[in-house]
Amino acid sequence: MTTKEAAVTAIPTLTTKRLVLRPLDNADVPGFVEIWSDPEFTRYIGGRSDPDSVWHAMAGNIGCWALTGVGPWAVVERSTGSLVGRAGLWTEPGWPDVEAVWFIRRDRWGRGYAREAASAAIGWAFAQRPDLDEVVAVILPDNTASVRVAERLDMTPRRLEFIHGEDHAVYTISQADWSAALRGLPAVPAVPAQAG
């Protein structure tokens, strides 16, 4: 997709059973500052939590949409209206392919939100881009929680790539395998929140 074609692509809003994936907004900065301030949340993904850095990261995410026609969405919990993370798609020059990404705040871990949001994004990507052969997930091998999400999405580990100064496992799912998995994919179970 050329930059000119991508720039005219409006960022859609996707709705799942429990989530809304919507365009990022300036009003999201405080929520993302709070999410990115949790060191356990950023353990494998990094990122700074000051408002300027969060805003610049959001601008980069919106820029991904403008330059490539895909990008991340803000993830909002339908039942509460709370911002619970960012998920969607990512690509950049030299990237392995269009990547499914999921960043869900720690107090919502274990509920299947990452899988639900990523499923919506992958389905959207394949529907919008019939020429897209596969979607990838680029994961640090020690990030076992994200590895489990990739596996639950029926993604397969294919190779290691040295990206941004570290070896990352590259998981993939082809468009054909995604279509086949959809026919037999069980519903995302809601896991009760742990008492804390």
Side-chain angles (χ1 to χ4, degrees):
M1 177 172 286
T2 67
T3 302
K4 184 177 179 182
E5 291 167 330
V8 298
T9 302
I11 302 172
T13 295
L14 307 180
T15 303
T16 69
K17 181 178 179 181
R18 300 175 296 165
L19 305 171
V20 174
L21 283 67
R22 61 154 174 79
L24 299 166
D25 187 90
N26 267 330
D28 295 330
V29 171
F32 285 130
V33 166
E34 179 185 343
I35 293 168
W36 256 258
S37 293
D38 179 352
E40 184 60 22
F41 172 85
T42 59
R43 180 176 178 192
Y44 296 108
I45 59 171
R48 294 176 40 194
S49 62
D50 62 282
D52 289 341
S53 296
V54 166
W55 188 90
H56 281 92
M58 289 171 53
N61 286 198
I62 293 168
C64 188
W65 279 103
L67 294 171
T68 70
V70 301
W73 287 271
V75 179
V76 175
E77 191 174 50
R78 290 179 65 184
S79 63
T80 64
S82 298
L83 179 69
V84 296
R86 189 165 63 217
L89 305 161
W90 181 262
T91 192
E92 62 183 75
W95 211 244
D97 212 326
V98 172
E99 180 187 9
V101 296
W102 49 83
F103 309 105
I104 303 298
R105 66 182 303 136
R106 189 157 54 114
D107 65 356
R108 298 306 199 280
W109 288 359
R111 298 182 186 191
Y113 285 179
R115 179 176 182 247
E116 189 171 333
S119 291
I122 293 168
W124 181 87
F126 284 142
Q128 297 300 309
R129 295 210 144 137
D131 61 324
L132 184 63
D133 293 328
E134 68 180 9
V135 170
V136 303
V138 179
I139 304 170
L140 287 170
D142 290 342
N143 188 348
T144 56
S146 277
V147 166
R148 282 193 305 272
V149 172
E151 289 169 346
R152 287 182 183 132
L153 291 164
D154 289 329
M155 298 180 103
T156 304
R158 295 289 183 202
R159 61 192 178 274
L160 280 177
E161 286 196 31
F162 193 70
I163 301 169
H164 292 247
E166 296 181 85
D167 282 329
H168 287 74
V170 178
Y171 286 73
T172 68
I173 188 159
S174 70
Q175 184 147 191
D177 287 345
W178 180 258
S179 295
L182 277 181
R183 288 190 287 277
L185 193 64
V188 178
V191 177
Q194 294 179 346

